[in-house]
Amino acid sequence: MACRELGGRDRGGETVPLHQLNVPDPGVLPFAMGSFDTIGPLSRADFPHRHTFHELVYVTAGSGAHVIDLAAWPLRPPQLCLVAPGRVHHWERTGELDGRVVLFDDDFLLNHPEDREALRRLAARPVLRPTGDAARAIGALLAEMDREYQAAAPGFISVLQAYLHVLLVRAGRLAEDAPGPGTPGGSERGASVAARFAELLARPEGAARTVRDCAALLGVSVGRLQEAVKEATGTTPGRMIRKAQVLEAKRLLAGTALTVGQVARQTGFGDPAYFCRFFRRETGSSPGDFRRTVRGNHHDRVLVSIDPADPPA
């Protein structure tokens, strides 16, 4: 089995289950790949969960939907899916699901550190649908990766890292042709600070941090953080934190049995009443109404999307 569940209670309970990459040899950089069957049942989990690692899935057959942060993406193989660490996802009403699954964490990117930025950009477009030559090329590349992984010949780790780099480059090209929100540019140094800030917010505990907390963790001043984020993204750290708080609150309201007060505390609000006002201001709905709407739509094909700028269609 390539991944295992950590820290979750019952799957309708008080936490969103967290899956950790579990490789058989601790001396091997954290990486695993295979089919849905060889990776194990958690690779097709039908309950909301999140990972500590990156997951790339190339679906070649199957029906149903892949739900990523409450947006249901109907399966239309071939389909390349990216699930970043911290994002909540599950598979819904799938049938005859087939394809290849690639699991890895940031340590596996040491030979190609630029791949971390590529993954950050791809997270804005988590589902890609290659066609024609592009689909065949991705399928062939993954088949070569799988052969290299299974053979484990001398030097196979560096070969897998190179293959993964090529895969991410090709996925990036597909994403450039796909409609979706753009990311304004900025200086290289400012973009690096902004990217590390975004990584902090993407973690489950990120929503509870303040701008000052984040600046301290990044080793920069509050003013420098504000400048870098504004330059790279066109928005402010405070606005990004508020967006992260809303996102994590929606994840918890949709995927757990936590009370509104508990959700408030986990997203950085000491006063549940203030959290409710904040949530209504940001979303137009109360926490309770949002939870009822999402759970009422649980069996519908199209779910409530957390990010309207990232639609399933």
Side-chain angles (χ1 to χ4, degrees):
M1 187 164 101
C3 59
R4 62 191 179 96
E5 190 168 305
L6 294 179
R9 298 190 184 180
D10 60 288
R11 288 168 190 161
E14 297 182 4
T15 62
V16 176
L18 181 68
H19 295 172
Q20 183 181 49
L21 192 58
N22 185 31
V23 294
D25 182 355
V28 175
L29 286 175
F31 176 94
M33 73 175 298
S35 67
F36 285 95
D37 290 334
T38 60
I39 290 293
L42 291 180
S43 67
R44 50 162 59 91
D46 60 359
F47 55 90
H49 62 282
R50 57 176 138 213
H51 309 146
T52 62
F53 51 87
H54 302 274
E55 179 176 5
L56 279 168
V57 185
Y58 191 52
V59 181
T60 55
S63 59
H66 190 187
V67 184
I68 304 175
D69 275 339
L70 299 185
W73 300 80
L75 292 183
R76 298 171 190 156
Q79 188 161 306
L80 185 65
C81 311
L82 170 67
V83 183
R87 298 195 82 169
V88 176
H89 83 122
H90 69 279
W91 301 88
E92 184 177 70
R93 297 196 304 277
T94 54
E96 305 297 327
L97 192 60
D98 196 14
R100 297 185 190 272
V101 182
V102 182
L103 312 175
F104 58 96
D105 72 13
D106 284 345
D107 286 345
F108 199 71
L109 306 176
L110 293 177
N111 281 5
H112 297 277
E114 68 274 22
D115 287 347
R116 294 182 68 182
E117 175 61 20
L119 286 162
R120 189 183 69 81
R121 291 195 302 269
L122 285 169
R125 191 71 190 178
V127 174
L128 299 167
R129 296 187 174 106
T131 59
D133 290 343
R136 286 187 287 274
I138 289 175
L141 177 59
L142 284 165
E144 283 296 320
M145 287 180 69
D146 200 19
R147 280 191 284 271
E148 190 71 27
Y149 178 66
Q150 296 300 330
F156 81 105
I157 290 175
S158 61
V159 174
L160 288 173
Q161 289 170 322
Y163 277 145
L164 179 60
H165 174 68
V166 173
L167 178 60
L168 294 176
V169 169
R170 290 182 176 173
R173 292 172 183 168
L174 288 172
E176 288 177 0
D177 296 332
T183 301
S187 71
E188 184 176 348
R189 184 180 175 193
S192 175
V193 172
R196 289 188 291 133
F197 173 66
E199 288 175 5
L200 282 179
L201 297 187
R203 298 171 186 171
E205 69 276 11
R209 292 186 170 128
T210 65
V211 174
R212 189 172 299 278
D213 291 338
C214 292
L217 286 168
L218 296 173
V220 298
S221 68
V222 170
R224 176 57 185 147
L225 177 60
Q226 291 172 333
E227 176 186 1
V229 170
K230 183 69 173 179
E231 181 182 18
T233 70
T235 189
T236 66
R239 179 59 193 152
M240 289 182 67
I241 288 175
R242 290 194 293 275
K243 185 175 180 180
Q245 287 174 314
V246 171
L247 175 60
E248 184 65 9
K250 286 182 173 182
R251 287 167 170 166
L252 295 173
L253 289 166
T256 75
L258 292 172
T259 66
V260 170
Q262 289 170 320
V263 172
R265 286 191 292 275
Q266 290 204 21
T267 51
F269 294 87
D271 180 359
Y274 179 69
F275 166 72
C276 290
R277 293 194 296 273
F278 164 83
F279 190 88
R280 182 181 289 277
R281 185 183 73 237
E282 295 292 321
T283 69
S285 172
S286 71
D289 286 344
F290 174 81
R291 172 173 271 169
R292 284 187 288 273
T293 299
V294 171
R295 294 188 174 179
N297 289 342
H298 179 70
H299 297 293
D300 293 346
R301 174 66 62 179
V302 179
L303 302 186
V304 177
S305 175
I306 278 183
D307 187 354
D310 191 21

